[in-house]
Amino acid sequence: MKKITITAPDDWHLHFRDHDMLGETVPATARCFNRAIAMPNLVPPIINAQMALDYKARILAAKPENSDFEPLMVLYLTNQTTIQDIKDAKAAGIVAAKLYPAGATTNSDAAVAGIEALYPVFEEMAKQNLLLLIHGEVTESHIDIFDREKIFIDKHLTKIVDAFPQLKVVFEHITTSEAADFVMQSSELVAATITPQHLLLNRNDLLVGGVRPHNYCLPVLKRNTHQQALRKAVASGSNKFFLGTDSAPHEQHRKESACGCAGCYSAWSALELYAQVFDELGALDKLEGFSSIYGADFYGLPRNSQTVTLIKQEWQIPEQIILPNGNPIVPFFAGQTVNWKIESL
């Protein structure tokens, strides 16, 4: 197959960041995604409805002219989140709330410690039909970083799903065979997003031949066996798995430093890279469901009416992108050749 036309896709998990960065990240996403879930882990985090609406206004101010792009807003859960916060969020059109275990990823220091304390909030979310988006890792320092997703399933996620059978749960950016199995075996109210990096790479791509900071993300890349399990999951065509890039920009000097900030900035190439994966798997017929149908259906939102056409044509991802502040950022798969290209929107 040399050409494929699909319903316009959405990105159900990404990080725009804020302020000057929006001048780069919003157009990059709006070039092919009609909607995107805007993650709320800013500084300070988006902890109430008014902050979410203010952030949405900043995102919309950065979108290209004549673009119909729509950001979908999310509340950042803390141990101070109240039932009234959830009611206010629903009234304001916010679609979900995000659970970050404290210390799990970038800007998560203000997040939840003691997940059971939020059970009354989860109960209200189920009543309001507000989705729970979960970064599913434990953060205790003695637990191996490669085991943190699996242990989170056993310690927390199973209990949440059992306690709130009417709550829609998205297990975000899953990385392991255990996570894929958990989602497949759960009810129709449990789904997962999968990133391009976790389909394309494994931990050898992070560590062999020297540490490669631009492949460092959280949850961290896992063994090849887990990568293959995720590829099998998307190739199955199951409606429980859908597109969420976790595109997460950091300036080059912050990635190539002692900090080694976590995140892969994939917005400029994500759809094309997903197409490449599905082509490798002989499953291009499953790309539309994963990219454009299953996420919208799970969120209870209308499917997009526009289309996107991709052609099998090689192009090279740039080595660098210059941000509005003049600093460079290294995109995911920088300098590498991609076999699929957007022809028209």
Side-chain angles (χ1 to χ4, degrees):
M1 188 180 296
K2 301 296 184 182
K3 178 184 287 193
I4 181 171
T5 298
I6 62 173
T7 302
D10 303 302
D11 188 343
W12 298 100
H13 183 122
L14 66 70
H15 301 267
F16 285 122
R17 308 305 188 204
D18 206 354
H19 305 304
D20 287 350
M21 186 78 81
L22 296 177
E24 160 61 26
T25 58
V26 177
T29 294
R31 74 186 182 96
C32 65
F33 294 112
N34 275 31
R35 294 171 293 203
I37 289 284
M39 286 295 145
N41 57 326
L42 306 181
V43 180
I46 305 299
I47 60 172
N48 59 52
Q50 188 57 56
M51 293 178 74
L53 294 176
D54 292 344
Y55 184 34
K56 182 175 184 177
R58 298 195 295 274
I59 295 169
L60 289 173
K63 76 174 185 176
E65 290 185 18
N66 303 317
S67 170
D68 294 328
F69 175 74
E70 180 187 4
L72 302 172
M73 308 313 294
V74 177
L75 210 63
Y76 182 113
L77 294 173
T78 75
N79 285 109
Q80 286 71 50
T81 301
T82 66
I83 290 173
Q84 189 60 48
D85 289 329
I86 299 304
K87 292 178 179 178
D88 292 344
K90 181 66 175 181
I94 293 167
V95 299
K98 180 69 183 283
L99 174 64
Y100 292 99
T105 190
T106 303
N107 300 336
S108 63
D109 293 342
V112 173
I115 292 174
E116 290 81 1
L118 278 185
Y119 275 23
V121 171
F122 298 160
E123 183 176 6
E124 186 62 30
M125 289 175 62
K127 291 178 183 176
Q128 297 291 339
N129 195 27
L130 206 70
L131 279 72
L132 175 62
L133 316 183
I134 297 180
H135 182 123
E137 293 186 285
V138 296
T139 56
E140 290 91 338
S141 60
H142 67 280
I143 295 175
D144 190 290
I145 192 169
F146 294 105
D147 296 331
R148 290 180 175 185
E149 185 172 271
K150 178 183 182 300
I151 291 174
F152 185 91
I153 295 170
D154 298 336
K155 187 175 181 180
H156 297 296
L157 188 54
T158 299
K159 294 177 183 178
I160 293 171
V161 169
D162 288 345
F164 304 100
Q166 302 307 312
L167 177 64
K168 280 190 174 181
V169 174
V170 182
F171 196 176
E172 297 287 6
H173 43 49
I174 63 169
T175 66
T176 60
S177 59
E178 290 87 356
D181 290 344
F182 176 84
V183 172
M184 283 295 292
Q185 294 163 11
S186 296
S187 79
E188 70 278 3
L189 298 186
V190 178
T193 55
I194 302 181
T195 75
Q197 60 264 29
H198 291 106
L199 292 170
L200 287 160
L201 307 177
N202 58 66
R203 65 188 189 182
N204 280 0
D205 299 294
L206 175 64
L207 299 171
V208 172
V211 176
R212 303 179 191 182
H214 298 288
N215 289 343
Y216 173 53
C217 56
L218 288 173
V220 72
L221 297 169
K222 303 299 195 298
R223 290 180 181 272
N224 173 267
T225 51
H226 294 296
Q227 177 194 5
Q228 296 309 315
L230 299 184
R231 290 166 72 94
K232 181 179 179 181
V234 300
S236 75
S238 168
N239 64 0
K240 284 176 156 284
F241 304 101
F242 44 83
L243 186 156
T245 63
D246 197 18
S247 182
H250 293 282
E251 294 176 0
Q252 183 173 358
H253 72 279
R254 296 187 182 278
K255 291 286 288 181
E256 299 173 6
S257 71
C259 162
C261 294
C264 300
Y265 182 51
S266 60
W268 278 114
S269 58
L271 183 62
E272 296 90 332
L273 288 170
Y274 281 120
Q276 183 163 306
V277 169
F278 278 77
D279 191 16
E280 291 171 357
L281 295 170
L284 272 175
D285 60 318
K286 307 297 196 307
L287 177 64
E288 182 176 42
F290 176 81
S291 302
S292 315
I293 305 301
Y294 304 150
D297 289 355
F298 191 79
Y299 273 77
L301 296 171
R303 300 175 183 178
N304 295 316
S305 57
Q306 305 94 322
T307 61
V308 172
T309 297
L310 298 107
I311 56 172
K312 197 166 189 179
Q313 177 180 319
E314 291 186 350
W315 63 286
Q316 189 176 57
I317 297 173
E319 297 279 358
Q320 283 187 342
I321 294 168
I322 303 302
L323 296 169
N325 65 6
N327 291 335
I329 187 171
V330 177
F332 183 57
F333 257 48
Q336 298 192 49
T337 298
V338 185
N339 295 330
W340 285 85
K341 184 176 183 179
I342 293 177
E343 180 186 57
S344 62
L345 302 175

